[in-house]
Amino acid sequence: MKKYILLTIAVIMSSLNISAQDLHTFDKELPCLNKTFSVYFHVTLDSLRTTSWDVAAMEAEIAATNQYFAPICTKFEICNIDTLENWTWDSLSRDYRVDEINRLFYQENRINIYLVDRFDDPNLCGFAGVGQVANANNAKVYLKGSCLPHEMGHLFGLLHTFEGGTETVNGSNCETAGDLICDTPADPYVEGSDTLWLGNNGEFIFTGLDVNGAYYQPDVGNIMSYYTQPTNGVPPCGFTREQYIRMANTWLESSRKMW
């Protein structure tokens, strides 16, 4: 019966041309920013004056991000690209030389994205400050791999699905634990852990229990999880309705907009 129901849903989605992304927002009103944000790319060069980033890769990241942000009427467009020739900037960490780079190259009234080939942490795809899109001239993203939608989620106010303490499976503490969003299932992921979370086909196989003895069933396709990071190979499906609302309101409720 369960397989029949899932097949029926798939057929209906296909006939109506509804994607998995649309299930979060179909027939549900969301806030609309009606806004296009300008993106300024800064490309770092290594000691041989080369980089793995080209214009096609940048355009692909923007296109993917636009797809995921479309439900809240938000787009991103490339306004300029420059190159940073000091090869020591091609390997960064959250604490190493980022302030110096921003002081020298940050462009006001733009989302500044610094493209590097290496981070001190080899497992890191990128990083960005939570909610910084709402702060005057403080919108910065540092990127090594194909995870710009994830980092934009941070920039627009989202935490990782596993952050903020352990959420219970029944969601009883969803407003004070985890990512503080109640329509993202509890996620037991621990950053840096040797735990095997996913099987070969990307299915969640962790058998640990929450404090109430319930099995976890996280959304492994959520963009703000770590299961969708390039090292795991799980394609991101999208954001949830409440994540969209959080991102839109981060901008709409800001008292000091940078654009």
Side-chain angles (χ1 to χ4, degrees):
M1 178 62 73
K2 184 176 181 180
K3 289 184 178 179
Y4 176 77
I5 292 173
L6 291 175
L7 179 60
T8 302
I9 292 174
V11 170
I12 294 173
M13 288 173 61
S14 178
S15 64
L16 294 177
N17 194 29
I18 301 171
S19 67
Q21 168 86 359
D22 295 324
L23 284 179
H24 295 309
T25 58
F26 183 61
D27 200 28
K28 296 178 180 179
E29 186 175 351
L30 283 171
C32 180
L33 272 63
N34 192 27
K35 181 71 178 177
T36 298
F37 292 88
S38 296
V39 172
Y40 198 114
F41 278 111
H42 306 275
V43 185
T44 62
L45 301 180
D46 63 18
S47 59
L48 299 177
R49 295 180 55 79
T50 63
T51 176
S52 62
W53 289 94
D54 58 23
V55 174
M58 299 177 215
E59 291 176 340
E61 289 298 302
I62 293 296
T65 306
N66 284 339
Q67 172 190 350
Y68 290 117
F69 277 75
I72 53 173
C73 318
T74 299
K75 290 180 62 178
F76 305 92
E77 64 179 12
I78 301 173
C79 70
N80 209 341
I81 301 170
D82 66 13
T83 56
L84 312 185
E85 298 190 7
N86 185 333
W87 63 268
T88 63
W89 290 327
D90 193 47
S91 179
L92 298 176
S93 71
R94 288 184 174 93
D95 303 315
Y96 178 65
R97 304 198 75 174
V98 291
D99 291 338
E100 178 184 3
I101 289 177
N102 281 296
R103 179 177 57 81
L104 292 173
F105 300 107
Y106 187 88
Q107 299 294 312
E108 294 186 353
N109 302 320
R110 304 286 185 268
I111 294 177
N112 286 243
I113 302 179
Y114 298 90
L115 302 175
V116 301
D117 289 325
R118 292 178 299 279
F119 286 127
D120 287 357
D121 179 355
N123 296 316
L124 189 64
C125 180
F127 58 93
V130 174
Q132 284 190 341
V133 74
N135 297 335
N137 293 316
N138 201 25
K140 307 179 293 289
V141 175
Y142 305 87
L143 205 65
K144 181 185 74 173
S146 298
C147 52
L148 184 56
H150 176 103
E151 301 308 331
M152 284 295 195
H154 287 314
L155 206 68
F156 278 76
L158 297 183
L159 299 173
H160 293 127
T161 53
F162 56 85
E163 279 192 80
T166 305
E167 183 181 347
T168 56
V169 171
N170 64 14
S172 61
N173 63 344
C174 64
E175 295 182 349
T176 58
D179 61 356
L180 312 180
I181 291 178
C182 289
D183 68 349
T184 55
D187 186 352
Y189 186 89
V190 177
E191 192 171 2
S193 169
D194 292 330
T195 300
L196 188 61
W197 305 100
L198 301 177
N200 293 332
N201 296 320
E203 73 275 19
F204 187 74
I205 61 174
F206 175 66
T207 58
L209 305 175
D210 76 352
V211 295
N212 298 319
Y215 288 102
Y216 290 95
Q217 295 181 309
D219 177 4
V220 298
N222 190 283
I223 289 178
M224 300 312 296
S225 77
Y226 258 27
Y227 309 114
T228 60
Q229 294 297 292
T231 52
N232 284 331
V234 177
C237 295
F239 298 105
T240 67
R241 173 173 169 75
E242 291 185 26
Q243 284 178 318
Y244 276 122
I245 292 173
R246 173 71 58 83
M247 290 193 293
N249 286 340
T250 294
W251 169 253
L252 292 172
E253 297 176 358
S254 170
S255 62
R256 187 178 182 186
K257 294 179 173 59
M258 58 180 289
W259 322 92

